[in-house]
Amino acid sequence: MILKAEGIVLRTFDFRETSRIATFFTKEHGKVSGILKGIRKDSKKFGSSLDLFSVNDIVYYQYRNSDLHLISQCDLKQYFLSVRQDLAKTLAATYVLELINKIMPVEEKNIKIYQLLLDFLGSLEGAKDVHPLVHGFQIKTLLHSGFKPHLDTCIKCGRVITGRAKFSMHDGGLVCLQCPLSETVVHWISQGTVSSILHIEKNDWSNCLKLHMAEATRRELKYILNNFLVFHLGRKLLSAKYLHA
Ligand SMILES: [Zn+2]
């Protein structure tokens, strides 16, 4: 079957002497991988050089028994030049690509995640500080991929939590001061951080970027999100290093 899609390049690697394998996150079919035969021998064969986080129109033959398809056409649609000219922005974009590649299952359409990627890259172009964008992206990715943390009540007893609470990485949510944790390490979370996460979950992309956070809240948010993602993905992302900057 021949399929068309619009996709963002998540990763690429060289294959044999002249080909390259690319993974896209597509609007129509979710995460799709395919081989572009001869792309390294003839640079004019495809209308794209497959740069990371570029948006491309692709045409591919879908193989039924394989996750790797044959890409026959690939044309560049959007390049995000100003992101590429800035190291911090390039690293932030690389991190979100790795996150999406790890968290999203193969060929499962998710239009909200696709739009989130486009919104993130678009905002990144004019951004002064990349961190609020990365935090917003992490929270919305958890929300739209089925890993939304439970933040309304205690995950153990259902009690409404008003002040400081424990955040259980294992159970994915808040645990009140009276209930025991399922894990040995205690991660504390303040009401301000909980409110910030809920605000970002409830608001659209442009509104959630307007949220002003105290430095302590921002630090706690970063700590909780990074640990929660590492717990769920089973390992650290290679590109997460920049988040310490
Ligand atoms: Zn409780």
Side-chain angles (χ1 to χ4, degrees):
M1 192 166 31
I2 297 175
L3 295 172
K4 282 183 179 178
E6 180 189 288
I8 298 164
V9 180
L10 295 182
R11 67 191 287 252
T12 66
F13 56 92
D14 289 347
F15 183 71
R16 303 231 168 107
E17 285 80 27
T18 61
S19 302
R20 186 165 287 154
I21 288 172
T23 301
F24 298 86
F25 194 78
T26 70
K27 186 177 175 179
E28 295 83 356
H29 313 289
K31 195 169 78 174
V32 169
S33 293
I35 180 163
L36 292 92
K37 286 189 175 163
I39 190 169
R40 284 154 57 220
K41 194 172 64 182
D42 177 7
S43 61
K44 291 195 186 87
K45 190 177 172 190
F46 294 91
S48 171
S49 47
L50 288 179
D51 293 291
L52 290 179
F53 61 85
S54 63
V55 183
N56 298 268
D57 283 322
I58 61 171
V59 176
Y60 63 100
Y61 295 91
Q62 186 187 40
Y63 293 134
R64 278 213 194 116
N65 303 320
S66 170
D67 290 341
L68 188 67
H69 309 294
L70 178 67
I71 297 175
S72 57
Q73 283 179 48
C74 180
D75 292 292
L76 180 67
K77 205 169 179 180
Q78 210 176 341
Y79 189 64
F80 303 106
L81 177 65
S82 57
V83 175
R84 292 174 206 284
Q85 290 169 334
D86 182 302
L87 181 61
K89 290 179 182 180
T90 302
L91 290 172
T94 308
Y95 169 77
V96 307
L97 298 182
E98 197 183 350
L99 177 59
I100 292 302
N101 191 35
K102 289 286 176 300
I103 214 163
M104 295 310 292
V106 171
E107 288 169 47
E108 196 174 295
K109 181 179 173 175
N110 190 324
I111 193 76
K112 286 182 172 162
I113 291 284
Y114 186 77
Q115 191 57 47
L116 178 64
L117 262 172
L118 281 185
D119 286 343
F120 175 85
L121 291 166
S123 313
L124 198 55
E125 289 204 286
K128 288 192 176 72
D129 180 4
V130 303
H131 290 91
L133 272 70
V134 173
H135 296 149
F137 189 90
Q138 290 172 317
I139 291 165
K140 291 213 175 276
T141 297
L142 289 167
L143 175 68
H144 298 318
S145 65
F147 291 113
K148 177 183 151 36
H150 183 94
L151 299 172
D152 305 319
T153 53
C154 170
I155 208 159
K156 301 272 185 186
C157 70
R159 202 180 309 222
V160 175
I161 296 176
T162 48
R164 205 159 79 113
K166 295 168 276 189
F167 186 90
S168 168
M169 299 295 161
H170 180 269
D171 298 318
L174 299 187
V175 175
C176 75
L177 303 182
Q178 282 77 25
C179 288
L181 274 176
S182 318
E183 60 228 46
T184 49
V185 182
V186 182
H187 302 281
W188 291 102
I189 184 164
S190 64
Q191 185 63 37
T193 304
V194 171
S195 305
S196 299
I197 296 174
L198 291 172
H199 179 90
I200 291 169
E201 283 181 354
K202 282 177 194 138
N203 282 275
D204 64 20
W205 180 253
S206 60
N207 277 325
C208 81
L209 293 182
K210 291 177 193 153
L211 176 69
H212 282 282
M213 265 185 263
E215 184 52 37
T217 307
R218 203 172 94 152
R219 240 179 299 139
E220 190 177 74
L221 182 70
K222 181 166 138 180
Y223 179 79
I224 294 281
L225 287 173
N226 290 347
N227 278 283
F228 189 50
L229 282 164
V230 168
F231 186 89
H232 277 288
L233 298 171
R235 66 183 188 82
K236 262 192 177 155
L237 297 181
L238 297 172
S239 55
K241 269 183 284 181
Y242 100 92
L243 292 168
H244 299 298

